[in-house]
Amino acid sequence: MTVVTGFLKAEGKKLVNGDGQEMLLRGVGLGSWLLPEGYMWCFPDAGDRPRRIERMIQDLVGAKRAAAFWESYYENYVAKADIEAIRADGFNSVRVPINARFLMENEEPLRFHEGHIALLDRVITWCREASLYVVLDLHGAPGGQTGTNIDDSENDKPELFMDERNQQITIALWRMLAERYKDEWIVAGYDLLNEPLPNWFAQYNDQVMPLYQKIIQAIREVDDRHMIILEGVHWATDWSIFTEIPDNNVMLQFHKYWNNPDTESIQAFLDKRDELNAPIFMGEGGENNCDWFTGAFRLYEDHDISWNFWTWKKLHCTNSPYSVRLPAGWSSLVEYLEGGAKPSQASSEQILREYLENLKLSNCDYQPQVVNALFRRPAIRIPAIFYGYRGEGVSFEVKMRHEHGLGFRERDGTDIRFVDNVDRVKPNFQHMKGEEWQADEWLYVRLHENEWLSYDFTLREAQVIHADYRLRSVGGNQLISINDQLTEVVASSVGEWETVRIPLMIEGKKGVNKIQMKGQKQHPIDVQWILLTPAD
């Protein structure tokens, strides 16, 4: 693994560290820490953003206790133990979402909150000690850059682009941060605005690049070493605003949720990387299930794209590395937000006290299957449709191109089909809460004679691995090559799905390991998934 050392910078299409070594960021977001998001609290729309959650808590326990709650919240949500666990899991970076309102003590005249900035100082120190690069992300700009809950919008309008004063404060905020952290090499870069302007506010799109340029100018007046990270409009997915690179140290960022994990889905970003000769970053993606993660994050790796998973932990979930346990009585807060009875102050205080305790990492539930999916480490199930993304001759080989019409991996020409559904015509990759694929959502690949598929997985140390395959024979068999060890797998019946363990254990090596599956003889064989588990 490339060492985290020195100022990170853009060099052509690559990122290089302070020693000039090429590297990818492989990180995790600290979502809901400095900008609480209601869905991570399992709250309805009435509690979907910081100011609404703050109002609810103050209504329930009073201003003084609410203020104390929030200071404990910031202390507990991300502690040194979190940063150490992130590094131990193998990540090399974190993205820290910031609410401008959190950093400001007063707007007129502008005065910043030194106590809250000290929390940033502290997490940066912890990350330096743990060798984790830090991306500072302005997730909620003054006035709001999206006009939605994710930026703590007050009036559901992108008032950053409707009020010049909000832009001036944004520029001043970034200048302040750049002045403060100009010598902190562990800060990877400045992510100027998170997901500006969904397409229903596209009339303001022409203001984004001019604002970026003003912010960059202010930063460069005090800091000429840190990388600038720029997001496109419409949830960071529309890069039409980028016609040139406004600085010599820039990385472009896109986000990816709930859609096809295939090269076609990111081709516009790959093309822009070539056009502008700049590195690109999948700066936010997740909120799906582990099967999707095994495909999407291998997609980024195979295309040399840095990535950041969203998010490190949240309440009562299955699809983050850590799940915060649901406090007793939490439903009464949800019901209150939905117009139900107001819980008593004593009851509210007890619920919130338990929540604060549950936020501590030692009280959360670790979910290693999520981290395994991101890094493709056993134990892991890899859907067969998520073979490699490095192109024909490297990740797959077909002898006759198949036109399946699914709108997924169509360029490859592999024979992809639905397992159980003759009516469904398009894949469904929208599983925000981590729901398992339903029977009619599963796909498989049919391997014809001499066609092959290649799958990578990683090990942190050499170990022995078992491999199980979900197969259906159509009269053929399959040749399996694992790190150049060959074996033949023969299904015991024809026309029925079965799980078959290959008759040898894999001597896995530290680092990247490769599985290649090849169809044999005249008859095809269907493959639904591969399950890799440590032998011990």
Side-chain angles (χ1 to χ4, degrees):
M1 180 180 291
T2 306
V3 176
V4 173
T5 183
F7 284 91
L8 198 64
K9 66 177 181 178
E11 195 169 277
K13 301 173 191 175
K14 304 291 186 178
L15 287 182
V16 298
N17 66 12
D19 291 339
Q21 298 173 307
E22 293 180 6
M23 70 178 301
L24 295 182
L25 294 177
R26 299 178 175 96
V28 66
L30 302 181
S32 207
W33 176 35
L34 304 183
L35 194 157
E37 296 198 37
Y39 85 91
M40 296 191 206
W41 297 49
C42 299
F43 278 171
D45 289 348
D48 67 352
R49 65 197 73 185
R51 63 182 70 245
R52 293 179 180 177
I53 300 172
E54 290 165 10
R55 184 165 57 240
M56 179 204 74
I57 292 175
Q58 184 166 323
D59 287 347
L60 292 175
V61 301
K64 183 177 179 180
R65 286 183 171 83
F69 167 85
W70 286 111
E71 293 311 308
S72 295
Y73 176 88
Y74 299 136
E75 289 285 329
N76 292 3
Y77 205 98
V78 174
K80 189 174 185 179
D82 291 273
I83 300 305
E84 291 172 344
I86 289 169
R87 184 58 187 176
D89 270 340
F91 297 99
N92 65 14
S93 53
V94 297
R95 180 169 175 256
V96 182
I98 301 166
N99 190 355
R101 191 163 60 85
F102 169 82
L103 293 183
M104 294 190 299
E105 196 166 32
N106 195 65
E107 287 191 22
E108 293 292 348
L110 181 60
R111 185 169 64 251
F112 295 108
H113 195 304
E114 284 298 322
H116 285 176
I117 297 172
L119 291 174
L120 279 182
D121 295 344
R122 188 175 66 178
V123 80
I124 288 170
T125 297
W126 289 338
C127 286
R128 190 188 328 108
E129 293 169 352
S131 294
L132 290 170
Y133 278 120
V134 181
V135 173
L136 297 180
D137 153 37
L138 187 53
H139 217 74
Q145 74 279 3
T146 70
T148 66
N149 62 299
I150 64 169
D151 65 10
D152 195 25
S153 175
E154 184 173 7
N155 301 305
D156 288 326
K157 295 178 181 179
E159 296 181 72
L160 173 64
F161 300 103
M162 301 168 70
D163 186 335
E164 177 64 26
R165 177 59 179 159
N166 286 328
Q167 296 196 16
Q168 292 172 0
I169 296 171
T170 301
I171 294 166
L173 187 154
W174 271 118
R175 183 187 173 99
M176 178 273 294
L177 291 173
E179 175 74 38
R180 192 177 191 97
Y181 300 124
K182 62 185 178 183
D183 297 322
E184 279 286 4
W185 64 266
I186 200 67
V187 173
Y190 305 138
D191 183 354
L192 301 191
L193 291 175
N194 178 68
E195 298 184 347
L197 296 174
N199 58 13
W200 54 90
F201 289 124
Q203 67 267 33
Y204 301 108
N205 282 0
D206 60 358
Q207 294 189 37
V208 177
M209 282 307 299
L211 179 57
Y212 279 160
Q213 290 165 341
K214 291 175 185 176
I215 297 171
I216 293 169
Q217 181 181 354
I219 289 172
R220 291 298 181 232
E221 289 172 359
V222 296
D223 179 354
D224 61 1
R225 289 188 288 185
H226 278 104
M227 185 167 57
I228 304 295
I229 304 172
L230 303 179
E231 302 188 27
V233 293
H234 191 55
W235 316 124
T237 63
D238 179 352
W239 282 11
S240 61
I241 63 171
F242 300 135
T243 58
E244 60 182 3
I245 296 296
D247 187 83
N248 63 7
N249 192 12
V250 166
M251 180 164 66
L252 303 180
Q253 179 177 169
F254 69 95
H255 294 175
K256 186 172 175 65
Y257 290 101
W258 314 309
N259 56 32
N260 290 358
D262 60 8
T263 301
E264 293 92 323
S265 70
I266 61 168
Q267 190 62 55
F269 311 128
L270 299 174
D271 292 344
K272 190 64 74 170
R273 174 170 68 181
D274 291 340
E275 175 192 340
L276 297 180
N277 193 35
I280 65 177
F281 180 35
M282 196 300 295
E284 195 182 298
E287 305 299 8
N288 212 303
N289 62 33
C290 288
D291 289 311
W292 189 86
F293 297 156
T294 65
F297 287 82
R298 178 51 46 182
L299 171 70
Y300 314 138
E301 291 280 342
D302 283 358
H303 285 291
D304 296 318
I305 298 171
S306 291
W307 53 263
N308 190 278
F309 176 75
W310 188 263
T311 181
W312 175 237
K313 65 183 177 185
K314 55 184 184 283
L315 186 67
H316 194 52
C317 72
T318 60
N319 58 354
S320 283
Y322 281 87
S323 176
V324 179
R325 294 173 187 168
L326 199 69
W330 194 258
S331 60
S332 67
L333 305 187
V334 175
E335 291 165 6
Y336 176 56
L337 286 168
E338 292 175 334
K342 183 178 182 179
S344 69
Q345 180 169 333
S347 172
S348 300
E349 288 178 8
Q350 174 58 36
I351 294 167
L352 294 174
R353 256 195 313 271
E354 183 180 348
Y355 178 57
L356 291 173
E357 281 299 306
N358 291 358
L359 290 176
K360 296 176 181 178
L361 196 72
S362 58
N363 296 328
C364 293
D365 294 317
Y366 181 50
Q367 301 179 139
Q369 70 275 12
V370 176
V371 178
N372 290 346
L374 301 178
F375 289 99
R376 277 219 182 164
R377 294 180 191 142
I380 185 174
R381 180 176 66 187
I382 306 173
I385 58 173
F386 296 147
Y387 53 89
Y389 295 91
R390 296 187 184 276
E392 191 165 7
V394 178
S395 294
F396 66 93
E397 187 72 56
V398 294
K399 297 304 178 183
M400 181 179 68
R401 300 192 67 80
H402 303 272
E403 296 183 4
H404 49 66
L406 297 175
F408 169 69
R409 305 202 76 165
E410 294 208 20
R411 292 183 197 168
D412 295 353
T414 48
D415 191 355
I416 299 175
R417 309 181 183 195
F418 280 104
V419 171
D420 275 344
N421 192 304
V422 293
D423 298 321
R424 186 180 287 278
V425 296
K426 299 293 180 185
N428 176 28
F429 294 118
Q430 299 185 34
H431 301 86
M432 180 177 179
K433 295 182 179 180
E435 306 93 334
E436 291 287 322
W437 289 343
Q438 298 298 305
D440 68 348
E441 294 174 333
W442 271 94
L443 296 149
Y444 68 92
V445 184
R446 174 162 289 184
L447 273 175
H448 300 268
E449 184 176 359
N450 291 326
E451 293 184 343
W452 54 265
L453 305 171
S454 182
Y455 302 83
D456 289 348
F457 67 95
T458 61
L459 295 175
R460 306 188 77 179
E461 59 185 10
Q463 63 184 130
V464 178
I465 301 296
H466 286 302
D468 296 280
Y469 294 81
R470 187 69 173 165
L471 304 174
R472 181 175 62 186
S473 173
V474 193
N477 56 11
Q478 195 173 47
L479 190 66
I480 307 289
S481 169
I482 304 171
N483 293 338
D484 298 323
Q485 294 177 267
L486 290 174
T487 187
E488 192 171 45
V489 173
V490 181
S492 61
S493 61
V494 175
E496 298 294 331
W497 286 103
E498 57 182 315
T499 301
V500 178
R501 173 162 290 183
I502 66 169
L504 59 82
M505 291 190 294
I506 305 165
E507 297 288 342
K509 62 183 181 180
K510 181 179 179 179
V512 178
N513 294 257
K514 189 177 296 294
I515 297 174
Q516 187 182 94
M517 302 191 300
K518 187 174 183 179
Q520 297 292 297
K521 299 183 179 178
Q522 301 178 17
H523 303 288
I525 192 163
D526 300 335
V527 190
Q528 191 175 154
W529 48 253
I530 308 166
L531 178 66
L532 303 174
T533 53
D536 53 2

mmCIF file of all heavy atoms in Angstrom, residues 36 80 91 137 173-174 183 185 211 213 222 291 300 326 333 412 427 470 474 501 517 525 531:
data_model
loop_
_atom_site.group_PDB
_atom_site.id
_atom_site.type_symbol
_atom_site.label_atom_id
_atom_site.label_comp_id
_atom_site.label_asym_id
_atom_site.label_seq_id
_atom_site.Cartn_x
_atom_site.Cartn_y
_atom_site.Cartn_z
ATOM 1 N N PRO A 36 -25.647 16.930 11.014
ATOM 2 C CA PRO A 36 -26.540 15.785 11.241
ATOM 3 C C PRO A 36 -27.600 15.659 10.140
ATOM 4 O O PRO A 36 -28.243 16.644 9.785
ATOM 5 C CB PRO A 36 -27.185 16.107 12.599
ATOM 6 C CG PRO A 36 -26.220 17.042 13.265
ATOM 7 C CD PRO A 36 -25.636 17.862 12.153
ATOM 8 N N LYS A 80 -11.400 9.476 18.931
ATOM 9 C CA LYS A 80 -10.131 8.910 18.471
ATOM 10 C C LYS A 80 -10.280 7.435 18.122
ATOM 11 O O LYS A 80 -9.653 6.938 17.172
ATOM 12 C CB LYS A 80 -9.056 9.105 19.539
ATOM 13 C CG LYS A 80 -7.658 8.756 19.063
ATOM 14 C CD LYS A 80 -6.605 9.110 20.103
ATOM 15 C CE LYS A 80 -5.201 8.863 19.564
ATOM 16 N NZ LYS A 80 -4.150 9.219 20.546
ATOM 17 N N PHE A 91 -8.641 1.672 5.432
ATOM 18 C CA PHE A 91 -8.860 2.924 4.714
ATOM 19 C C PHE A 91 -7.625 3.814 4.853
ATOM 20 O O PHE A 91 -6.857 3.684 5.817
ATOM 21 C CB PHE A 91 -10.078 3.657 5.276
ATOM 22 C CG PHE A 91 -11.371 2.913 5.118
ATOM 23 C CD1 PHE A 91 -11.910 2.184 6.176
ATOM 24 C CD2 PHE A 91 -12.069 2.937 3.914
ATOM 25 C CE1 PHE A 91 -13.105 1.492 6.036
ATOM 26 C CE2 PHE A 91 -13.268 2.255 3.760
ATOM 27 C CZ PHE A 91 -13.782 1.530 4.828
ATOM 28 N N ASP A 137 -14.772 18.983 3.548
ATOM 29 C CA ASP A 137 -15.922 19.039 2.637
ATOM 30 C C ASP A 137 -16.939 20.048 3.163
ATOM 31 O O ASP A 137 -17.516 19.828 4.233
ATOM 32 C CB ASP A 137 -16.525 17.634 2.527
ATOM 33 C CG ASP A 137 -18.008 17.613 2.193
ATOM 34 O OD1 ASP A 137 -18.456 18.465 1.405
ATOM 35 O OD2 ASP A 137 -18.720 16.732 2.730
ATOM 36 N N LEU A 173 -14.928 31.908 4.713
ATOM 37 C CA LEU A 173 -14.801 30.659 5.467
ATOM 38 C C LEU A 173 -13.661 29.812 4.913
ATOM 39 O O LEU A 173 -12.822 29.298 5.666
ATOM 40 C CB LEU A 173 -16.129 29.907 5.428
ATOM 41 C CG LEU A 173 -16.273 28.646 6.285
ATOM 42 C CD1 LEU A 173 -17.738 28.412 6.622
ATOM 43 C CD2 LEU A 173 -15.730 27.412 5.570
ATOM 44 N N TRP A 174 -13.622 29.678 3.595
ATOM 45 C CA TRP A 174 -12.560 28.865 3.000
ATOM 46 C C TRP A 174 -11.184 29.513 3.186
ATOM 47 O O TRP A 174 -10.189 28.824 3.390
ATOM 48 C CB TRP A 174 -12.842 28.597 1.523
ATOM 49 C CG TRP A 174 -13.654 27.364 1.313
ATOM 50 C CD1 TRP A 174 -14.893 27.273 0.748
ATOM 51 C CD2 TRP A 174 -13.285 26.031 1.675
ATOM 52 N NE1 TRP A 174 -15.315 25.967 0.741
ATOM 53 C CE2 TRP A 174 -14.346 25.176 1.307
ATOM 54 C CE3 TRP A 174 -12.162 25.463 2.279
ATOM 55 C CZ2 TRP A 174 -14.316 23.800 1.515
ATOM 56 C CZ3 TRP A 174 -12.122 24.096 2.501
ATOM 57 C CH2 TRP A 174 -13.193 23.278 2.119
ATOM 58 N N ASP A 183 -0.267 24.502 6.525
ATOM 59 C CA ASP A 183 0.928 23.691 6.766
ATOM 60 C C ASP A 183 0.603 22.251 7.158
ATOM 61 O O ASP A 183 1.515 21.469 7.452
ATOM 62 C CB ASP A 183 1.776 24.337 7.868
ATOM 63 C CG ASP A 183 2.297 25.705 7.473
ATOM 64 O OD1 ASP A 183 2.662 25.880 6.296
ATOM 65 O OD2 ASP A 183 2.313 26.612 8.334
ATOM 66 N N TRP A 185 0.001 18.892 6.134
ATOM 67 C CA TRP A 185 0.099 18.027 4.961
ATOM 68 C C TRP A 185 -0.922 16.891 4.973
ATOM 69 O O TRP A 185 -1.279 16.363 3.918
ATOM 70 C CB TRP A 185 1.509 17.447 4.837
ATOM 71 C CG TRP A 185 1.900 16.537 5.966
ATOM 72 C CD1 TRP A 185 2.580 16.871 7.083
ATOM 73 C CD2 TRP A 185 1.622 15.129 6.062
ATOM 74 N NE1 TRP A 185 2.750 15.765 7.900
ATOM 75 C CE2 TRP A 185 2.183 14.679 7.296
ATOM 76 C CE3 TRP A 185 0.976 14.205 5.250
ATOM 77 C CZ2 TRP A 185 2.099 13.360 7.725
ATOM 78 C CZ3 TRP A 185 0.883 12.891 5.664
ATOM 79 C CH2 TRP A 185 1.438 12.479 6.885
ATOM 80 N N LEU A 211 -18.001 31.195 -8.780
ATOM 81 C CA LEU A 211 -17.818 31.122 -7.335
ATOM 82 C C LEU A 211 -16.613 30.257 -6.986
ATOM 83 O O LEU A 211 -15.806 30.619 -6.118
ATOM 84 C CB LEU A 211 -19.078 30.595 -6.654
ATOM 85 C CG LEU A 211 -18.989 30.442 -5.128
ATOM 86 C CD1 LEU A 211 -18.620 31.765 -4.448
ATOM 87 C CD2 LEU A 211 -20.302 29.905 -4.562
ATOM 88 N N GLN A 213 -13.992 29.873 -8.692
ATOM 89 C CA GLN A 213 -12.788 30.643 -9.008
ATOM 90 C C GLN A 213 -12.494 31.682 -7.931
ATOM 91 O O GLN A 213 -11.325 31.908 -7.564
ATOM 92 C CB GLN A 213 -12.943 31.290 -10.383
ATOM 93 C CG GLN A 213 -12.891 30.274 -11.523
ATOM 94 C CD GLN A 213 -13.393 30.813 -12.848
ATOM 95 O OE1 GLN A 213 -14.108 31.816 -12.897
ATOM 96 N NE2 GLN A 213 -13.020 30.158 -13.938
ATOM 97 N N VAL A 222 -3.357 32.528 0.554
ATOM 98 C CA VAL A 222 -2.742 32.105 1.831
ATOM 99 C C VAL A 222 -2.190 30.688 1.788
ATOM 100 O O VAL A 222 -1.450 30.295 2.690
ATOM 101 C CB VAL A 222 -3.763 32.222 2.986
ATOM 102 C CG1 VAL A 222 -4.172 33.673 3.192
ATOM 103 C CG2 VAL A 222 -4.993 31.347 2.737
ATOM 104 N N ASP A 291 -23.822 -6.563 -1.955
ATOM 105 C CA ASP A 291 -23.621 -7.086 -3.305
ATOM 106 C C ASP A 291 -23.291 -5.959 -4.273
ATOM 107 O O ASP A 291 -22.381 -6.072 -5.097
ATOM 108 C CB ASP A 291 -24.869 -7.856 -3.763
ATOM 109 C CG ASP A 291 -25.039 -9.172 -3.022
ATOM 110 O OD1 ASP A 291 -24.058 -9.934 -2.929
ATOM 111 O OD2 ASP A 291 -26.141 -9.437 -2.526
ATOM 112 N N TYR A 300 -14.442 1.341 -9.488
ATOM 113 C CA TYR A 300 -13.537 2.481 -9.274
ATOM 114 C C TYR A 300 -12.083 2.021 -9.270
ATOM 115 O O TYR A 300 -11.215 2.652 -9.895
ATOM 116 C CB TYR A 300 -13.864 3.191 -7.958
ATOM 117 C CG TYR A 300 -15.339 3.448 -7.747
ATOM 118 C CD1 TYR A 300 -15.938 3.239 -6.502
ATOM 119 C CD2 TYR A 300 -16.153 3.871 -8.802
ATOM 120 C CE1 TYR A 300 -17.289 3.452 -6.312
ATOM 121 C CE2 TYR A 300 -17.509 4.078 -8.615
ATOM 122 C CZ TYR A 300 -18.075 3.862 -7.362
ATOM 123 O OH TYR A 300 -19.412 4.063 -7.179
ATOM 124 N N LEU A 326 -30.327 1.346 18.428
ATOM 125 C CA LEU A 326 -31.522 2.158 18.603
ATOM 126 C C LEU A 326 -31.867 2.271 20.085
ATOM 127 O O LEU A 326 -32.066 1.263 20.762
ATOM 128 C CB LEU A 326 -32.686 1.514 17.843
ATOM 129 C CG LEU A 326 -33.899 2.377 17.516
ATOM 130 C CD1 LEU A 326 -33.543 3.433 16.474
ATOM 131 C CD2 LEU A 326 -35.030 1.495 16.995
ATOM 132 N N LEU A 333 -39.892 9.737 19.665
ATOM 133 C CA LEU A 333 -39.376 10.942 19.007
ATOM 134 C C LEU A 333 -39.847 11.003 17.562
ATOM 135 O O LEU A 333 -40.223 12.070 17.059
ATOM 136 C CB LEU A 333 -37.848 10.966 19.060
ATOM 137 C CG LEU A 333 -37.179 10.855 20.433
ATOM 138 C CD1 LEU A 333 -35.678 11.076 20.304
ATOM 139 C CD2 LEU A 333 -37.779 11.855 21.419
ATOM 140 N N ASP A 412 -19.843 -5.004 -23.106
ATOM 141 C CA ASP A 412 -18.986 -6.176 -22.940
ATOM 142 C C ASP A 412 -19.394 -7.321 -23.855
ATOM 143 O O ASP A 412 -18.558 -8.130 -24.260
ATOM 144 C CB ASP A 412 -19.030 -6.662 -21.490
ATOM 145 C CG ASP A 412 -18.440 -5.660 -20.515
ATOM 146 O OD1 ASP A 412 -17.875 -4.638 -20.970
ATOM 147 O OD2 ASP A 412 -18.548 -5.900 -19.287
ATOM 148 N N PRO A 427 -32.260 -4.175 -14.723
ATOM 149 C CA PRO A 427 -31.836 -4.458 -13.345
ATOM 150 C C PRO A 427 -32.315 -3.377 -12.392
ATOM 151 O O PRO A 427 -32.526 -2.222 -12.787
ATOM 152 C CB PRO A 427 -30.304 -4.451 -13.441
ATOM 153 C CG PRO A 427 -29.984 -4.571 -14.887
ATOM 154 C CD PRO A 427 -31.119 -3.953 -15.619
ATOM 155 N N ARG A 470 -22.334 -20.672 -7.078
ATOM 156 C CA ARG A 470 -23.740 -20.948 -7.377
ATOM 157 C C ARG A 470 -23.831 -21.145 -8.878
ATOM 158 O O ARG A 470 -23.675 -20.206 -9.669
ATOM 159 C CB ARG A 470 -24.610 -19.774 -6.922
ATOM 160 C CG ARG A 470 -26.108 -20.018 -7.039
ATOM 161 C CD ARG A 470 -26.571 -21.063 -6.046
ATOM 162 N NE ARG A 470 -28.026 -21.197 -6.040
ATOM 163 C CZ ARG A 470 -28.662 -22.214 -5.481
ATOM 164 N NH1 ARG A 470 -27.984 -23.181 -4.871
ATOM 165 N NH2 ARG A 470 -29.982 -22.267 -5.499
ATOM 166 N N VAL A 474 -25.866 -26.489 -18.009
ATOM 167 C CA VAL A 474 -26.729 -26.715 -19.177
ATOM 168 C C VAL A 474 -26.068 -27.830 -20.001
ATOM 169 O O VAL A 474 -26.121 -27.850 -21.222
ATOM 170 C CB VAL A 474 -26.895 -25.413 -19.989
ATOM 171 C CG1 VAL A 474 -28.024 -25.538 -21.014
ATOM 172 C CG2 VAL A 474 -27.181 -24.228 -19.069
ATOM 173 N N ARG A 501 -18.716 -26.464 -4.064
ATOM 174 C CA ARG A 501 -17.408 -26.052 -3.546
ATOM 175 C C ARG A 501 -16.323 -26.659 -4.417
ATOM 176 O O ARG A 501 -16.351 -27.859 -4.711
ATOM 177 C CB ARG A 501 -17.230 -26.497 -2.098
ATOM 178 C CG ARG A 501 -15.828 -26.250 -1.547
ATOM 179 C CD ARG A 501 -15.796 -26.274 -0.038
ATOM 180 N NE ARG A 501 -16.479 -25.106 0.520
ATOM 181 C CZ ARG A 501 -16.556 -24.841 1.826
ATOM 182 N NH1 ARG A 501 -15.975 -25.672 2.696
ATOM 183 N NH2 ARG A 501 -17.198 -23.781 2.254
ATOM 184 N N MET A 517 -12.824 -17.887 -14.417
ATOM 185 C CA MET A 517 -13.755 -18.973 -14.714
ATOM 186 C C MET A 517 -13.899 -19.081 -16.226
ATOM 187 O O MET A 517 -14.102 -18.063 -16.905
ATOM 188 C CB MET A 517 -15.123 -18.703 -14.082
ATOM 189 C CG MET A 517 -15.078 -18.517 -12.587
ATOM 190 S SD MET A 517 -16.709 -18.501 -11.827
ATOM 191 C CE MET A 517 -17.458 -17.114 -12.654
ATOM 192 N N ILE A 525 -22.495 -23.047 -19.121
ATOM 193 C CA ILE A 525 -22.786 -23.186 -17.705
ATOM 194 C C ILE A 525 -23.130 -21.800 -17.163
ATOM 195 O O ILE A 525 -22.550 -20.794 -17.578
ATOM 196 C CB ILE A 525 -21.605 -23.819 -16.936
ATOM 197 C CG1 ILE A 525 -22.035 -24.215 -15.522
ATOM 198 C CG2 ILE A 525 -20.393 -22.907 -16.920
ATOM 199 C CD1 ILE A 525 -21.081 -25.192 -14.852
ATOM 200 N N LEU A 531 -18.742 -17.340 -3.548
ATOM 201 C CA LEU A 531 -18.628 -17.068 -2.118
ATOM 202 C C LEU A 531 -17.235 -17.474 -1.661
ATOM 203 O O LEU A 531 -16.857 -18.645 -1.782
ATOM 204 C CB LEU A 531 -19.695 -17.840 -1.334
ATOM 205 C CG LEU A 531 -19.656 -17.677 0.185
ATOM 206 C CD1 LEU A 531 -19.977 -16.241 0.582
ATOM 207 C CD2 LEU A 531 -20.638 -18.639 0.854
#
